[in-house]
Amino acid sequence: MARHTAADGARSGRATPIVLLLLVAIAAMGFYSIVPDCFRARDGIRVELAARAARRCDAAARDYVSRGWRDSVTNVTPEMVDAYYARLHEPAIAWPAAADLSTLDFSDTNGVSVVVSLRGGPRRVSAADLVHP
């Protein structure tokens, strides 16, 4: 009868508990190092898209005021902005799905702003939040 040593068991193709523990630890470290970055990137994209849309909306509102069609930027509505870009034969403003258009504020000191739902909670975004203007 042949004797079986511990080294023979390790070469049998079966995973030992320590190997399984190491594999689970490596998977957990990978998960916790990559997933939060994905959520931050997604939130950053939402803020960037909302800031770009706010900048276009603010430009249209300021043009209304400069032409004398409205006496103040606060009197401009989202429908007027859409009509403005339709007259210019440009695409309408594409707000991200996370933007709550009921919170659209034309009287913000940074221009037009809107509240965007992010993973950490809602955030008011304006053109001042653009990373690269």
Side-chain angles (χ1 to χ4, degrees):
M1 230 191 226
R3 298 177 110 188
H4 293 289
T5 63
D8 292 336
R11 288 187 226 121
S12 68
R14 292 184 0 220
T16 61
I18 191 74
V19 170
L20 291 176
L21 181 65
L22 287 173
L23 290 175
V24 168
I26 290 170
M29 287 188 310
F31 178 81
Y32 285 111
S33 65
I34 293 172
V35 170
D37 290 336
C38 292
F39 287 130
R40 275 194 293 278
R42 185 188 66 185
D43 286 348
I45 290 169
R46 287 178 175 174
V47 168
E48 183 80 14
L49 290 175
R52 289 182 188 277
R55 181 176 61 187
R56 285 190 71 209
C57 191
D58 188 54
R62 292 190 188 284
D63 194 38
Y64 267 103
V65 173
S66 71
R67 293 177 188 252
W69 295 337
R70 291 288 174 212
D71 57 348
S72 172
V73 175
T74 58
N75 294 337
V76 178
T77 63
E79 292 79 23
M80 294 170 70
V81 172
D82 289 340
Y84 173 82
Y85 283 113
R87 277 195 307 273
L88 295 176
H89 302 291
E90 291 186 19
I93 295 175
W95 295 96
D100 183 5
L101 295 182
S102 67
T103 62
L104 202 58
D105 184 13
F106 286 87
S107 64
D108 194 350
T109 57
N110 291 325
V112 176
S113 66
V114 67
V115 173
V116 177
S117 299
L118 303 175
R119 186 167 168 84
R123 176 179 167 190
R124 183 158 291 279
V125 175
S126 69
D129 292 311
L130 282 174
V131 175
H132 299 286

